[in-house]
Amino acid sequence: VLPACLLLALLLLAPALSAQHERGLIFNLDIGELCLRSAQCKSGCCHRLNGLSLARCAPKAAEFQVCSPKSIYEVYYKCPCERGLSCNANKTIVGSITNSDFGVCKDPRD
């Protein structure tokens, strides 16, 4: 029974997984859609307001906005910076575990 269910699930999800540039059920999600990981979002940021809220895709942080450095959890309280910017945050062990090391996006060339 389990292999048949698994096969059915793969068949149903295959179109979503194969369409890399089109919106899918699991990947290429638009801003505001529910997510579990940042890799699912077109923007590259799966954001939650607090520990009890649902995570949704959000735009990456622009220059001078509050940001989080890249995290292994891939769900952020503050989104990482847009491409070309760096998040200047004071990283700590506790902050890395609790996902609370925040900084400000800056252009590293400035």
Side-chain angles (χ1 to χ4, degrees):
V1 173
L2 182 62
C5 292
L6 183 60
L7 181 61
L8 180 60
L10 289 174
L11 289 173
L12 292 173
L13 295 176
L17 296 173
S18 66
Q20 292 184 0
H21 299 293
E22 296 178 19
R23 186 185 167 284
L25 297 174
I26 297 175
F27 293 101
N28 294 318
L29 301 176
D30 291 320
I31 291 174
E33 292 189 279
L34 294 174
C35 55
L36 296 173
R37 304 180 54 168
S38 290
Q40 293 178 277
C41 303
K42 286 180 186 176
S43 66
C45 178
C46 187
H47 172 265
R48 70 174 53 211
L49 296 174
N50 56 52
L52 300 176
S53 65
L54 296 173
R56 296 184 178 273
C57 294
K60 285 195 171 180
E63 192 169 15
F64 305 117
Q65 287 185 331
V66 178
C67 59
S68 289
K70 291 285 186 180
S71 165
I72 59 169
Y73 303 117
E74 289 195 36
V75 176
Y76 298 95
Y77 292 114
K78 304 290 181 188
C79 285
C81 299
E82 294 174 340
R83 176 173 276 150
L85 301 176
S86 62
C87 187
N88 296 332
N90 293 328
K91 295 181 183 179
T92 64
I93 293 173
V94 173
S96 297
I97 294 169
T98 61
N99 199 7
S100 62
D101 284 336
F102 302 133
V104 175
C105 291
K106 293 187 178 179
D107 189 337
R109 296 171 287 182
D110 289 344

